[in-house]
Amino acid sequence: MLDLFAPVKCLLQEESVCIDNVVFRLHSRVTVLLLVICTVLVSAKQYIGEPISCMTDASIDKDSVNAYCWIYSTFTVSRHLNGVPGRDVANAGIGQALPNDEVRHHRYYQWVCFVLGLQAILFYVPRALWGVWERGTLGLLSRDLASPFLRDVWTAERKQQLVDYFTKTNLHGHNFYALSFLACELLNLLNSVGQIYLLDVFLEGQFRRYGLLVSSFALEGSPHDRIDPMARLFPKMTKCVIHTFGPAGSVQTHDMLCVLPLNVVNEKIFVVLWFWLVFLAGSGLLAVIYRITVFSQFRARVYLLRGATRTLRKSKAERVVRAFHFGDWFLLQQLAENVNPLVYRELVNEIASALATKSFANFI
């Protein structure tokens, strides 16, 4: 079974350069991994079995019935969702359909694996965009500086190159870099919220409250006078009607029961997805609020810069933040995740010293 998950090994590999943050990775790596695993599970017939199995009599071929009911959908009767299986009803939703009864046709199951795969792609899009806009900047600036052995790489020349990059060559040239990251964080937020509504449309308006209904039903001990939300949305047994011609040419109606083993997996997958998407939406909203606050508030940037260096004096931190635009500060802050702490501390102190010279008097 482990061979099924061979395609997702690339998502488990550790990146040599960290160009995002924890919340971003929850969207672009953890969620993509989760969705790919779910896609593999719902398409692995050899471990779950056939997705549908209908009970037929000897007069009609079972394989043909299974194919027909899979393609043209099965249905349940809402009136029969209540009651005790085996006593009041044959199974949840299974019973005679009267002319005025609400009949729910289930057509989604053919598309579950495709929808999950589409979701995985959509969650990876912001990460792909950020990779294009980032253009390997952090990798070039931090090359070989994460090592604990610095004698051969952290030379006076390398130090001066980085100081010149931040104070002369590209001073005030990174606002687009920072705004691109903010745009990708906004895409993550819109993606997580939008996919809740996408699944709600896909599952015929029953997904938005699915997790809450399942939790409430489980906590109340599954009373028989309430409808099981999982049985309503993902029934394990359904009905299917096929019309054929008899020996005399008259139309014959075959009313059959169909078992959907795949829905045992689907109901769990979408409960997990509901809670995960709600969590992603909340964390994504907090990440966007945090990013806007930090980009707009001088004191917040000073506090975070001092936190990254630990021993930087407040006057030096204020000098750097005052001279830098928010984009320059953001790139410098990102660099802290990819270099040795000793290198970063020394680099920031050298930048502060360079900004204290007369040539930078207009910035402070």
Side-chain angles (χ1 to χ4, degrees), residues 32-331:
V32 172
L33 179 64
L34 173 65
L35 290 168
V36 170
I37 290 174
C38 291
T39 304
V40 173
L41 282 176
V42 299
S43 57
K45 292 182 181 180
Q46 63 268 43
Y47 296 104
I48 299 173
E50 292 296 326
I52 189 170
S53 179
C54 297
M55 305 173 190
T56 63
D57 53 37
S59 64
I60 187 168
D61 180 64
K62 183 174 182 178
D63 291 337
S64 300
V65 171
N66 288 342
Y68 177 90
C69 294
W70 177 259
I71 294 171
Y72 289 99
S73 81
T74 58
F75 67 91
T76 52
V77 183
S78 298
R79 179 167 59 90
H80 297 297
L81 287 170
N82 289 314
V84 181
R87 188 184 68 188
D88 304 318
V89 293
N91 204 291
I94 302 300
Q96 182 181 10
L98 300 177
N100 294 326
D101 283 340
E102 180 189 5
V103 176
R104 302 187 66 87
H105 289 270
H106 306 284
R107 302 182 178 88
Y108 59 83
Y109 40 69
Q110 304 100 320
W111 300 97
V112 168
C113 62
F114 298 106
V115 170
L116 292 174
L118 175 62
Q119 285 184 280
I121 293 172
L122 291 175
F123 268 109
Y124 191 75
V125 166
R127 176 61 178 78
L129 285 175
W130 174 233
V132 172
W133 287 330
E134 204 274 338
R135 296 181 299 178
T137 303
L138 278 173
L140 293 173
L141 293 177
S142 63
R143 188 177 66 252
D144 301 326
L145 295 181
S147 171
F149 307 104
L150 301 170
R151 185 172 58 182
D152 297 330
V153 293
W154 187 233
T155 60
E157 181 183 0
R158 182 72 183 278
K159 184 193 305 181
Q160 191 59 46
Q161 286 176 342
L162 284 176
V163 171
D164 290 344
Y165 178 87
F166 280 101
T167 60
K168 296 179 182 178
T169 310
N170 287 280
L171 182 64
H172 300 169
H174 300 104
N175 283 354
F176 177 78
Y177 182 91
L179 290 174
S180 297
F181 188 78
L182 174 59
C184 290
E185 288 188 311
L186 281 169
L187 282 177
N188 283 331
L189 172 60
L190 294 175
N191 200 16
S192 54
V193 174
Q195 292 212 27
I196 293 175
Y197 287 92
L198 170 67
L199 290 178
D200 192 59
V201 173
F202 174 61
L203 295 174
E204 300 173 352
Q206 299 184 70
F207 184 75
R208 269 182 296 178
R209 301 179 64 241
Y210 182 58
L212 293 175
L213 292 174
V214 171
S215 300
S216 174
F217 186 81
L219 291 174
E220 293 183 12
S222 305
H224 296 306
D225 59 341
R226 291 189 58 200
I227 298 175
D228 184 352
M230 290 194 289
R232 182 182 181 88
L233 185 54
F234 299 105
K236 271 71 89 179
M237 180 172 287
T238 56
K239 295 186 67 176
C240 181
V241 175
I242 296 181
H243 301 285
T244 62
F245 287 103
S250 59
V251 176
Q252 293 184 337
T253 300
H254 301 268
D255 190 352
M256 288 160 290
L257 297 179
C258 295
V259 180
L260 301 175
L262 195 59
N263 275 351
V264 177
V265 178
N266 285 336
E267 66 182 11
K268 276 69 172 187
I269 285 176
F270 284 96
V271 168
V272 172
L273 279 182
W274 189 90
F275 285 104
W276 184 250
L277 289 175
V278 170
F279 168 73
L280 286 182
S283 60
L285 178 61
L286 292 176
V288 170
I289 294 173
Y290 165 80
R291 190 68 55 202
I292 294 174
T293 301
V294 168
F295 282 177
S296 61
Q297 297 299 315
F298 172 83
R299 293 298 174 189
R301 298 201 296 276
V302 171
Y303 176 80
L304 291 172
L305 184 59
R306 295 189 70 197
T309 55
R310 295 181 177 86
T311 59
L312 186 67
R313 293 204 306 267
K314 184 177 180 180
S315 59
K316 287 187 175 182
E318 289 179 343
R319 184 186 306 144
V320 172
V321 174
R322 189 175 291 113
F324 280 7
H325 285 175
F326 66 87
D328 305 315
W329 171 88
F330 175 71
L331 179 59

